[in-house]
Amino acid sequence: MSAGLRMLTRSRSRSPRTRPRGGGEEPASIPRREVAAEGRKKHRPGKCQQKTQRLHVAYEAFDGEKDEGAEPLKVSTWEPQRWQQQLANIRTMRSKKDAPVDQLGAEHCYDPSAPPKVRRYQVLLSLMLSSQTKDQVTAGAMQRLRARGLTVDSILQTDDSTLGELIYPVGFWRSKVKFIKQTSAILQQHYDGDIPASVAELVALPGVGPKMAHLAMAVAWGTISGIAVDTHVHRIANRLRWTQRPTKSPEATRAALEEWLPRELWSEINGLLVGFGQQTCLPVHPRCQACLNQALCPTAQGL
């Protein structure tokens, strides 16, 4: 055997664990699946020897060396049937970009002329307000806040009653008044008025969930940290069977999608599916007759 090769073994009795496509790094929690064999194992002589398990042997070249006789390692990855065609159809249906999210989403709610630190804060605030709230209502609240000068300092100097009047009628506005004040104080004390640049720090802020954190990373920092999954993405992914098994929460859906969806699509999928959910794949009485995926959607076939 060539000195530039190492021998890798994998038991036939064990299935390789699935691995996300799209070039992302493999999660640290996944154990190593390839074990280097050091020499041959010696067997003790005896009357009853344990039956040797058959091993599948593959080789991996070191330092870019290749061996024509080596069998390439293969990793099986689950993915939904016909998802590329379903995605292409959704892109076609969303080509006009005329859904509420296209005009009033978080990337449209901040003041583009404000300093970068203020813009990032406004992005985070718009995301906090958007929870359980229609885009039109969120945009209205942001417009009223910006008219008074929307910064960390201005929010901390605004009394709770006035802040409530400014953001009403966003969903759970009373709780959001408290969360906005608490988060703004943390940002002033620990981040010099800026917002954190990591998902872990963002979700640690009062009133900030995983979807908001991933969107804040994308819009405010230009970093794709994961798929932002809200109720629209969660609903549509399950209707199209884009998860290997039904999921019960947006976070479970996010994890399921990130296992197979190519990473280069992560930044697109939220806005694409949110608008599709606002216009066609409605929560109640979806407009299946007008959907290009009617013949490809398992849920539509059951209606």
Side-chain angles (χ1 to χ4, degrees):
M1 183 169 63
S2 170
L5 298 178
R6 64 179 178 184
M7 182 169 69
L8 307 180
T9 61
R10 182 183 296 125
S11 170
R12 287 185 182 274
S13 62
R14 299 179 61 186
S15 302
R17 306 178 75 172
T18 57
R19 168 179 183 178
R21 294 175 50 191
E25 293 183 359
E26 189 169 356
S29 60
I30 298 180
R32 294 177 63 88
R33 294 166 293 178
E34 299 174 356
V35 181
E38 298 179 1
R40 296 182 177 178
K41 294 184 179 180
K42 297 181 179 180
H43 299 278
R44 294 181 179 179
K47 294 182 179 179
C48 298
Q49 290 187 352
Q50 186 177 3
K51 185 177 180 180
T52 302
Q53 188 178 27
R54 294 183 62 189
L55 296 178
H56 173 67
V57 180
Y59 297 91
E60 179 178 282
F62 288 144
D63 301 326
E65 293 180 354
K66 295 182 179 180
D67 186 271
E68 295 182 356
E71 180 182 345
L73 296 175
K74 296 180 181 179
V75 178
S76 60
T77 302
W78 178 88
E79 63 180 33
Q81 295 182 353
R82 300 181 292 184
W83 70 269
Q84 293 97 333
Q85 184 59 54
Q86 292 170 336
L87 181 61
N89 288 340
I90 293 174
R91 284 191 180 123
T92 299
M93 290 183 281
R94 292 278 289 112
S95 60
K96 293 183 179 179
K97 300 290 183 184
D98 55 357
V101 69
D102 299 314
Q103 309 300 325
L104 306 170
E107 62 271 28
H108 302 290
C109 287
Y110 64 84
D111 180 3
S113 64
K117 187 186 299 186
V118 175
R119 293 202 302 265
R120 290 191 286 267
Y121 174 67
Q122 292 181 359
V123 167
L124 180 62
L125 226 62
S126 70
L127 291 168
M128 294 176 69
L129 293 173
S130 69
S131 176
Q132 302 296 312
T133 304
K134 291 184 177 181
D135 289 332
Q136 299 91 324
V137 177
T138 299
M142 285 296 295
Q143 188 175 22
R144 293 188 293 274
L145 289 171
R146 284 174 49 189
R148 295 171 58 92
L150 181 52
T151 65
V152 170
D153 290 337
S154 70
I155 287 295
L156 291 176
Q157 292 169 10
T158 302
D159 61 82
D160 290 4
S161 177
T162 301
L163 182 57
E165 292 174 359
L166 290 170
I167 69 172
Y168 180 84
V170 300
F172 303 100
W173 62 271
R174 291 185 179 86
S175 296
K176 290 177 182 178
V177 166
K178 179 180 66 175
F179 292 148
I180 288 172
K181 281 294 192 72
Q182 292 174 341
T183 289
S184 298
I186 292 171
L187 298 181
Q188 185 186 62
Q189 295 169 10
H190 300 286
Y191 297 95
D192 191 29
D194 207 340
I195 72 171
S198 74
V199 171
E201 291 174 291
L202 284 166
V203 296
L205 297 171
V208 179
K211 180 209 76 171
M212 303 177 204
H214 288 300
L215 280 176
M217 290 296 295
V219 178
W221 291 111
T223 299
I224 305 303
S225 56
I227 300 173
V229 177
D230 66 353
T231 55
H232 292 291
V233 179
H234 171 61
R235 176 179 72 254
I236 294 168
N238 276 273
R239 283 179 175 176
L240 291 175
R241 303 293 191 268
W242 279 11
T243 59
Q244 196 164 5
R245 56 189 59 83
T247 55
K248 296 183 178 180
S249 69
E251 262 301 274
T253 300
R254 180 189 63 80
L257 289 174
E258 289 180 1
E259 286 184 356
W260 68 266
L261 189 69
R263 194 178 182 91
E264 60 267 23
L265 300 177
W266 289 10
S267 61
E268 174 191 19
I269 208 69
N270 176 267
L272 196 65
L273 295 189
V274 168
F276 180 55
Q278 291 174 335
Q279 294 181 312
T280 305
C281 198
L282 305 176
V284 181
H285 305 305
R287 297 167 180 167
C288 297
Q289 296 297 328
C291 182
L292 297 179
N293 281 327
Q294 183 179 15
L296 300 176
C297 177
T299 302
Q301 299 305 304
L303 295 179

